[in-house]
Amino acid sequence: MTRPTAAIRPAELIQRKRDGAELGSEELGELVLAYARGEVPDYQLAAFCMAVYFQGLSTAETFALTDAMVRSGETIDLGSALGRRVVDKHSTGGVGDKTTLAVGPVVAACGVPFGKMSGRGLGHTGGTLDKLEAIPGFRIELTTEEFIAQVREVGLAIVGQTGDLVPADKKLYALRDVTATVDNVSLIAASIMSKKIASGADAIVLDVKVGDGAFMKSLADAQVLGETMLALGNRAGRDVVCVLTDMDQPLGRAVGNALEVREAAATLRGEGPPDFTELVLDASAHLLALSDLGIDRTEARRRAEQAIADGSAMGVYARWVQAQGGDPDEAALPKAPFVREVFALRAGFVQRLSALSVGLAALHLGAGRREKDDPVDHAVGVVCLKKRGDSVESGEPLAEIHARDERAADEAADDVLAAYELGDEPPRARPIVLDTLG
């Protein structure tokens, strides 16, 4: 039975959830909203999150949590403001995942508005905003009016989440991060989809990473998360497709902020690594097929390929970066003062390249952050010259370390060498897109 919101008692709700009871939508929603208003202390919400971690949330409870987080702040209706269907994408985070930087220009070059609010990285997974801030002068903070105007004029804008958008999620995520309660499917899905729903896109492609360098280690777990997010999006009236993609090895070759910007730009010129190029084209095709162009995925894929081939995607990239105050010239990107190659100790085929190990090597170089306020060195990182399935000769370079000094390069080189496993036979091929839902 649902209690009136005025009579809400957090300790009572914590106890009931701890004991496995299902909470009513109104009382769960009011608990979250009261926390966002500062009326419920951190220690009580921390206890509630731990109860949810162990007991889970029902479908109805997950819906209620998502709705409350959306209602905790402002929402943006991009579609109404532009008179068009607006598309967006989200990735659960991975090593070398610079997909947004290439997908946005491709989609916009095909005539579909792309507006996205992105986040920073924490740990071994890089954040889109960190990559964009590697571009000299790039401004990630726009007012809502500036955001809408840029999507209208340029076709593309990518900015940081405003403080007024889903503030409950911002508070709750920070709390979960320090109380070991991040790893819960319902909490993850509600966090992601509340931001997507509030930021106003009509159609969303969700890229759920699977494997060694991802949060979801197994395909089965990724499918559960994907299906939960699909249900939340559909309930909110959004068109959603979820692609489950490989993160057993880094995506593309570059890992590190400026290095990844360069690789995204190279991909827009048609010079990108095969796995990254395929994911960019697949995600772009899904978004174009969900747009108001009225085309199927086959035609959408053709148009995405054409946008790269005729240079229009690269043209949008330059206009977008300039619109947000950045310098699109790749020569302006920071470069690490020390570059060291890592050489193979034997001949063979790359059987395995641990995404997690490469990501941690980049983190130790300074490309990521252990704590949310840590500074980031945009110049450093790792370039994987050899990927899974590639043949290699003894003494041939496997990777490049881009470091601030020789000592840091030496330490990272040991970690990167350990990430490679060589064998006598080529491994079985693993596709970049493992499954598609929706």
Side-chain angles (χ1 to χ4, degrees):
M1 178 177 173
T2 300
R3 290 172 166 77
T5 56
I8 189 172
R9 298 180 62 183
E12 211 175 289
L13 299 186
I14 294 166
Q15 180 181 355
R16 288 166 53 205
K17 177 45 62 181
R18 181 201 68 189
D19 295 340
E22 181 172 351
L23 304 183
S25 296
E26 288 188 23
E27 57 191 359
L28 178 53
E30 182 55 26
L31 176 66
V32 173
L33 290 171
Y35 176 61
R37 294 191 298 263
E39 298 168 6
V40 174
D42 279 351
Y43 63 81
Q44 285 190 308
L45 249 291
F48 175 76
C49 288
M50 189 60 73
V52 169
Y53 181 85
F54 285 111
Q55 294 291 353
L57 292 176
S58 68
T59 299
E61 287 176 316
T62 306
F63 287 160
L65 174 61
T66 306
D67 288 343
M69 290 199 292
V70 171
R71 288 188 287 121
S72 70
E74 293 181 355
T75 58
I76 302 173
D77 189 349
L78 276 175
S80 294
L82 299 172
R84 293 284 309 276
R85 279 175 65 81
V86 178
V87 300
D88 187 7
K89 71 165 283 291
H90 176 82
S91 168
T92 56
V95 179
D97 185 7
K98 72 289 291 181
T99 314
T100 293
L101 276 63
V103 168
V106 169
V107 170
C110 292
V112 174
F114 186 97
K116 177 172 172 55
M117 292 188 177
S118 290
R120 300 187 183 281
L122 186 63
H124 71 277
T125 60
T128 298
L129 297 185
D130 299 311
K131 304 179 205 307
L132 291 175
E133 287 185 325
I135 301 171
F138 194 97
R139 191 161 64 103
I140 62 167
E141 294 182 0
L142 301 180
T143 66
T144 300
E145 292 74 20
E146 289 173 326
F147 177 61
I148 293 171
Q150 185 174 308
V151 176
R152 180 185 295 114
E153 294 162 13
V154 180
L156 169 62
I158 301 175
V159 298
Q161 181 182 342
T162 69
D164 295 329
L165 193 84
V166 202
D169 174 67
K170 193 171 185 179
K171 284 190 69 175
L172 192 58
Y173 188 87
L175 188 67
R176 289 165 53 214
D177 189 44
V178 296
T179 57
T181 54
V182 170
D183 302 355
N184 175 273
V185 167
S186 292
L187 295 177
I188 293 167
S191 175
I192 291 170
M193 294 309 296
S194 63
K195 291 191 283 286
K196 297 293 105 180
I197 292 165
S199 59
D202 301 291
I204 306 160
V205 168
L206 302 167
D207 179 3
V208 178
K209 300 297 184 189
V210 185
D212 170 68
F215 166 68
M216 293 298 180
K217 304 299 182 187
S218 74
L219 188 58
D221 287 343
Q223 287 168 332
V224 171
L225 176 59
E227 288 164 359
T228 303
M229 292 193 293
L230 282 173
L232 289 169
N234 293 334
R235 182 173 177 272
R238 273 37 173 201
D239 291 326
V240 184
V241 169
C242 180
V243 291
L244 312 182
T245 64
D246 178 30
M247 191 39 67
D248 264 353
Q249 65 175 345
L251 179 60
R253 301 191 182 280
V255 181
N257 300 291
L259 296 171
E260 293 185 46
V261 173
R262 287 191 182 90
E263 186 163 270
T267 301
L268 291 172
R269 293 194 301 270
E271 302 166 0
D275 61 338
F276 180 57
T277 299
E278 174 58 29
L279 183 53
V280 168
L281 291 171
D282 187 79
S284 298
H286 278 300
L287 287 169
L288 293 174
L290 290 172
S291 75
D292 55 12
L293 294 180
I295 58 177
D296 61 17
R297 282 201 62 234
T298 300
E299 175 61 14
R301 172 75 179 230
R302 187 196 70 77
R303 293 194 190 187
E305 291 172 345
Q306 183 62 31
I308 292 175
D310 65 18
S312 58
M314 194 63 196
V316 169
Y317 172 84
R319 291 195 299 276
W320 159 50
V321 171
Q322 288 172 333
Q324 290 188 229
D327 185 345
D329 186 351
E330 291 174 55
L333 291 167
K335 294 182 179 180
F338 195 87
V339 179
R340 175 184 164 171
E341 290 182 320
V342 177
F343 299 98
L345 301 180
R346 54 159 289 187
F349 294 88
V350 178
Q351 301 289 320
R352 182 172 180 268
L353 172 57
S354 168
L356 178 59
S357 296
V358 174
L360 290 174
L363 172 65
H364 297 152
L365 285 167
R369 52 175 65 84
R370 294 178 179 84
E371 305 292 338
K372 65 179 182 178
D373 295 324
D374 285 351
V376 166
D377 187 337
H378 294 103
V380 302
V382 179
V383 177
C384 300
L385 303 175
K386 297 290 184 178
K387 299 283 294 289
R388 187 175 54 223
D390 289 343
S391 63
V392 58
E393 297 298 325
S394 179
E396 188 177 3
L398 293 170
E400 289 177 351
I401 308 297
H402 294 245
R404 188 53 56 185
D405 55 49
E406 187 172 0
R407 188 172 72 87
D410 289 343
E411 292 174 357
D414 292 338
D415 293 335
V416 170
L417 185 60
Y420 279 91
E421 180 183 325
L422 302 183
D424 295 327
E425 300 292 334
R428 187 168 61 182
R430 177 178 166 101
I432 184 68
V433 177
L434 304 174
D435 197 5
T436 302
L437 309 174

